[in-house]
């Protein structure tokens, strides 16, 4: 009997897979922290015989090269991928035997990248899984605009053709197991649901229900912002990533934290937005460890800037360090845990700012108080409606556009509160008076705030 085990990288919205039989297995699109995969294989008592990449990834640093080195597995990489390390190049139709009766077949599925390759797993000739990477996702496809702007439309058309090829070659009951689509910005639209099959996608996926011209037009119209750190992921993966170092960072005391802030380095507080608002080191930024830490910190931080992490516990530091390593932020400069009062020097006090709901903002406006309402959602979100009179600066642009925020008390909001907390911390660090709206945007209209669009 075959097995497929899913390994989630929830913060990045990606999945990796360990699949095999009684004795041997293949790993598809592994994350940087390969110890999780090695542990999963050990629990099942299987040898990792192959490591397969569907493409050179743009949204995370792969652990494939190191996993293959450590385990002695053959490293399968699409033949068209331009990489700088030794690997087993895989062309369309190539097959490998993973275990007795268990075969992996490469299917060229260009679109997300020109060289993208999916893999069909068969047991005794029967299709049992399709590892589709950034090709066919749950209800959508991988975005085609991450390689080269001039290729975007061409790759979108290729996505349509690739989806049809998968649907034509695989039976309806074959599970579709994509790498992207669970919150990843590599998805051309946000997928719904947690599992799917070729048959379900045949009925619901735009790539399989629309003609190519309508599909391309809809796909290109729906493309969202690209996280800035993506520019660094492809080159890192093509060059061959170095092994990851997850040993604990050096401990920082209050003096070192102050020194690093004075040097212009980033000090990142991983605690909840509630805790941060109630008391934090002045000048530090709040990226919740339980939120999309890697996505938003890597998106906003100047690349290569040293980062010091603050958290309640060492376990939270370790989890954040693992998450950040997946996007190439390899070694925190230092870290501190415990009581935030110990993070500031003697005689200094923690900073704070208020939190509020949309009902509070409505009350303030009804009283006639003049406040700045700052919307930090993405363009695509704002297009669906926004608070009348609000200023719009997407969160990933705010650090470089602080001068555009009008004078006055700034009430900052997003769609749910997490990004508003990040933005509030950025503003607070510059000395602005800020109120973080910790509320779902749906509550804005219910609170009586006037919404508009256009």
């Amino acid at each position: 009997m075959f097995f497929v085990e899913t390994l989630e990288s929830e913060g990045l919205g990606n999945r990796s897979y360990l699949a095999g039989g009684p004795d041997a297995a293949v790993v598809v699109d592994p994350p940087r922290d390969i110890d999780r995969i090695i542990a999963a294989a050990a629990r099942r008592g299987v040898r990792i015989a192959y490591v397969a990449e569907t493409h050179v990834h743009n949204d995370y640093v792969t652990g494939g090269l190191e996993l293959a080195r450590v385990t002695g597995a053959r490293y399968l990489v699409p033949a068209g991928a331009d990489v700088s390390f030794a690997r087993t190049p895989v062309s369309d139709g190539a097959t490998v035997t993973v275990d007795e009766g268990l075969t992996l077949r490469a299917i060229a599925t260009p679109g997300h990248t020109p060289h993208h390759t999916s893999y069909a797993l068969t047991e005794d000739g029967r299709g049992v899984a399709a590892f589709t990477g950034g090709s066919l996702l749950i209800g959508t496809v991988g975005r085609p605009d991450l390689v080269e702007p001039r290729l975007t439309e061409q790759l979108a058309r290729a996505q349509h053709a690739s989806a049809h090829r998968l649907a034509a070659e695989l039976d309806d009951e074959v599970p579709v197991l994509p790498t992207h689509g669970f919150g990843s910005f590599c998805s051309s639209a946000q997928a719904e649901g947690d599992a799917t099959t070729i048959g379900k996608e045949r009925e619901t996926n735009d790539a399989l229900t629309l003609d190519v011209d309508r599909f391309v037009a809809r796909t290109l119209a729906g493309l969202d912002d690209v996280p800035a750190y993506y520019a660094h992921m492809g080159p890192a993966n093509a060059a061959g990533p170095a092994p990851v170092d997850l040993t604990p960072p050096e401990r920082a005391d209050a003096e070192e934290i102050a020194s690093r802030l004075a040097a212009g380095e980033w000090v990142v507080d991983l605690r909840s937005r509630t805790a941060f608002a109630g008391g934090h080191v002045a000048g530090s930024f709040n990226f919740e460890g339980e939120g999309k830490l890697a996505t938003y910190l890597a998106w906003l931080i100047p690349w290569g800037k040293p980062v010091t992490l603050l958290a309640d516990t060492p376990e939270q530091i370790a989890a954040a360090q693992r998450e950040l390593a997946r996007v190439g932020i390899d070694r925190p400069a230092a870290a501190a845990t415990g009581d935030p009062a110990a993070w500031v020097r003697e005689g200094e006090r923690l900073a704070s700012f208020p939190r509020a709901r949309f009902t509070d903002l409505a009350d303030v406006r009804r009283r006639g108080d003049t406040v700045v309402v700052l919307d930090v959602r993405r363009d695509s979100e704002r297009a669906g409606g926004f608070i009348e009179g609000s200023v719009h600066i997407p969160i990933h642009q705010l650090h470089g556009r602080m001068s555009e925020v009008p004078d006055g008390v700034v009430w900052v909001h997003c769609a749910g509160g997490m990004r508003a907390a990040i933005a509030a911390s950025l503003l607070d660090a510059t000395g602005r008076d800020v109120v973080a709206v910790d509320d779902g945007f749906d509550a804005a209209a219910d609170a009586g705030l006037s919404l508009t669009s256009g």
Side-chain angles (χ1 to χ4, degrees):
M1 283 291 293
F2 79 97
F3 72 87
V4 177
E5 183 170 338
T6 302
L7 294 97
E8 301 269 4
S9 294
E10 293 183 9
L12 296 175
N14 287 326
R15 290 178 175 177
S16 304
Y17 301 95
L18 174 71
D23 300 313
V26 58
V27 178
V28 180
D29 288 344
R32 185 86 178 281
D33 48 327
I34 62 173
D35 56 324
R36 293 192 299 152
I37 300 166
I38 293 172
R43 285 193 300 270
R44 290 185 175 273
V46 295
R47 173 178 59 89
I48 297 175
Y50 297 94
V51 177
E53 301 281 9
T54 57
H55 59 294
V56 175
H57 301 282
N58 287 290
D59 64 328
Y60 70 92
V61 180
T62 181
L65 182 62
E66 179 65 4
L67 182 61
R69 185 190 70 81
V70 168
T71 63
R74 285 177 61 190
Y75 192 22
L76 310 180
V77 178
D82 185 12
V83 296
S84 302
F85 48 82
R87 85 287 192 199
T88 299
V90 176
S91 300
D92 185 38
T95 62
V96 295
T97 300
V98 177
D99 206 339
E100 185 175 355
L102 202 62
T103 302
L104 193 71
R105 176 170 64 95
I107 305 173
T109 48
H112 187 47
T113 66
H115 61 266
H116 191 283
T117 300
S118 299
Y119 298 92
L121 187 68
T122 59
E123 184 181 47
D124 298 328
R126 177 179 64 92
V128 293
F131 302 103
T132 55
S135 182
L136 190 65
L137 311 184
I138 301 178
T140 184
V141 295
R143 60 193 298 169
D145 61 328
L146 300 180
V147 176
E148 159 61 52
R150 292 170 296 181
L151 296 179
T152 296
E153 182 175 345
Q154 175 186 329
L155 289 176
R157 292 181 178 276
Q159 279 288 51
H160 187 270
S162 292
H164 280 263
R165 181 182 180 188
L166 289 169
E169 293 191 12
L170 301 173
D171 295 335
D172 280 354
E173 64 270 18
V174 174
V176 174
L177 304 175
T179 300
H180 306 312
F182 310 95
S184 168
F185 280 85
C186 269
S187 178
S188 63
Q190 287 311 303
E192 295 184 3
D194 196 53
T196 192
T197 62
I198 290 291
K200 289 179 182 177
E201 293 308 303
R202 195 191 304 278
E203 296 174 355
T204 60
N205 197 304
D206 280 356
L208 296 171
T209 60
L210 300 178
D211 65 68
V212 63
D213 290 330
R214 289 175 62 208
F215 166 76
V216 169
R218 182 173 294 185
T219 298
L220 299 188
L223 294 175
D224 214 330
D225 299 304
V226 179
Y229 70 92
Y230 277 25
H232 305 280
M233 300 297 96
N237 287 325
V244 66
D245 179 4
L246 295 177
T247 57
E250 294 182 6
R251 181 181 176 277
D253 59 15
E255 195 64 48
E256 182 173 359
I257 292 170
S259 176
R260 290 188 176 279
L261 282 169
E265 298 181 10
W266 278 37
V267 174
V268 172
D269 192 325
L270 303 168
R271 295 176 302 147
S272 73
R273 53 186 181 260
T274 302
F276 183 88
H280 57 268
V281 177
S284 63
F285 303 139
N286 182 214
F287 291 80
E288 290 180 302
E290 297 300 316
K292 284 185 167 292
L293 169 67
T295 295
Y296 284 103
L297 179 54
W299 198 339
L300 271 65
I301 193 170
W303 200 249
K305 177 80 72 174
V307 59
T308 294
L309 301 177
L310 310 178
D312 291 317
T313 67
E315 290 75 19
Q316 290 170 336
I317 296 291
Q321 185 177 353
R322 179 178 292 270
E323 185 80 0
L324 294 175
R326 294 172 185 159
V327 293
I329 301 177
D330 282 3
R331 291 293 300 165
T337 59
D339 184 357
W343 301 342
V344 293
R345 294 172 295 192
E346 187 175 352
E348 295 179 339
R349 301 178 61 181
L350 295 172
S352 64
F353 54 75
R355 296 164 54 248
R357 315 284 286 184
F358 281 113
T359 53
D360 302 312
L361 176 58
D363 289 342
V364 166
R365 281 194 156 184
R366 275 192 291 269
R367 290 199 306 265
D369 295 355
T370 301
V371 297
V372 178
V373 179
L374 176 62
D375 180 352
V376 296
R377 297 175 300 160
R378 297 187 299 278
D379 291 344
S380 59
E381 297 172 285
R382 187 170 170 89
F386 56 89
I387 296 172
E388 190 174 329
S390 61
V391 176
H392 180 225
I393 303 177
I395 182 65
H396 58 278
Q397 299 176 12
L398 181 59
H399 192 62
R401 297 176 59 186
M402 289 289 192
S403 62
E404 298 178 34
V405 181
D407 294 337
V409 179
V410 183
W411 288 61
V412 59
H413 80 85
C414 60
M418 180 192 73
R419 287 172 294 172
I422 297 171
S425 73
L426 296 176
L427 289 160
D428 176 75
T430 67
R432 295 296 301 269
D433 289 329
V434 64
V435 178
V437 178
D438 193 357
D439 208 353
F441 188 71
D442 290 345
D446 295 339
L449 291 164
S450 297
L451 302 186
T452 187
S453 60

